[in-house]
Amino acid sequence: MSAQPDSICILDDDASVGNSIVQLLDSDGIKAQSFKDAEVFFTHARNHAVSVAVLDVWMRETSGLQEQAWLRDVSPTRK
């Protein structure tokens, strides 16, 4: 059995999509939290290890691909 992350982070600028994913995961006992603002997500990710992130590819202010690159750059395992 593999270990689950402390919490899955969902970044989607459509709050209803993020909240729906959180509810779906919660129904299976998986802890998740939703972020609709990339800056709020950045603040969280700077202060907490993000093991799993589900990123919206098309957002108004940014893209999931940009967020993925940022996460890779700040990853604690990156030397």
Side-chain angles (χ1 to χ4, degrees):
M1 180 176 195
S2 62
Q4 287 187 348
D6 291 338
S7 178
I8 295 175
C9 294
I10 313 297
L11 176 59
D12 195 310
D13 59 352
D14 184 338
S16 64
V17 171
N19 292 335
S20 295
I21 294 170
V22 168
Q23 288 177 354
L24 176 65
L25 294 170
D26 186 54
S27 73
D28 200 32
I30 300 169
K31 183 178 172 188
Q33 57 188 119
S34 178
F35 300 88
K36 71 175 195 168
D37 181 274
E39 285 301 318
V40 174
F41 172 68
F42 288 158
T43 300
H44 175 81
R46 284 184 190 105
N47 297 308
H48 302 87
V50 176
S51 299
V52 177
V54 177
L55 308 170
D56 183 2
V57 174
W58 302 107
M59 293 182 276
R60 286 179 215 96
E61 304 294 325
T62 187
S63 79
L65 298 175
Q66 290 172 319
E67 306 316 312
Q68 180 185 23
W70 179 83
L71 282 170
R72 185 178 53 247
D73 289 342
V74 300
S75 171
T77 60
R78 187 166 172 91
K79 306 269 186 237

